[in-house]
Amino acid sequence: MPPKRRTKRDAGLLAGSDRTDAHFAATAGRSDLLEEAMEQNIDLSHADKDGMTALHCACARSARGCVRLLLGVLNDEKRSHALRVDEAWVDARDKQGRTALHHASIRGDPSIVEMLVAAGADVSLGAVDNMTARHFAAKKGADSEAV
């Protein structure tokens, strides 16, 4: 049986999944595939069943190129509107109440933490367990001053 041809999907959702192409590209750290997904005006604010956006996924994997690409959208008014993101998107929370900044702090990646803070991430937000990004960074042994 020949492989199925890829067709344009509603909001970029993969069949049988709640994740978009952007989620998968960010999780894999593939900025090239993420750029392709973004060219299709995929909804970057879309959250999967765990409340994770593509930005959460990129931060959880320390995918610096993907984080840079995603945050770059905020500086392009036309593109940010098409991809449905705004300043509040940076602080979107997953089901555990964690933001992208929390995930970057858990990974202990100061360069991603700096990018998120520069993009306006709120360092004072606590997750469901009241842990802030600074708590996660300190727990990881990373420099919590970056947060």
Side-chain angles (χ1 to χ4, degrees), residues 1-138:
M1 179 188 235
K4 287 187 174 182
R5 281 187 70 195
R6 285 182 76 162
T7 59
K8 188 169 180 167
R9 296 172 302 277
D10 181 39
L13 293 175
L14 297 179
S17 175
D18 61 342
R19 302 184 106 204
T20 65
D21 287 342
H23 284 92
F24 288 107
T27 300
R30 295 283 308 271
S31 54
D32 57 327
L33 296 178
L34 181 58
E35 179 66 39
E36 284 181 27
M38 290 167 65
E39 286 172 4
Q40 309 236 342
N41 289 338
I42 202 163
D43 181 359
L44 293 180
S45 67
H46 176 80
D48 66 11
K49 67 178 173 33
D50 297 317
M52 302 271 284
T53 65
L55 183 60
H56 285 102
C57 295
C59 291
R61 295 287 187 222
S62 289
R64 288 183 196 99
C66 292
V67 172
R68 192 173 299 111
L69 186 60
L70 288 163
L71 293 177
V73 170
L74 292 173
N75 297 325
D76 183 343
E77 189 176 316
K78 198 181 237 183
R79 195 167 192 202
S80 64
H81 177 71
L83 297 171
R84 296 169 205 73
V85 298
D86 57 20
E87 293 80 20
W89 165 74
V90 174
D91 289 323
R93 294 173 180 261
D94 65 15
K95 297 281 184 191
Q96 296 177 322
R98 294 178 178 168
T99 65
L101 183 60
H102 288 114
H103 287 283
S105 297
I106 289 167
R107 292 288 293 190
D109 194 321
S111 63
I112 292 180
V113 167
E114 289 171 11
M115 283 190 267
L116 291 165
V117 170
D122 186 344
V123 299
S124 68
L125 293 177
V128 171
D129 55 8
N130 291 322
M131 297 274 285
T132 65
R134 185 167 282 140
H135 289 119
F136 286 121

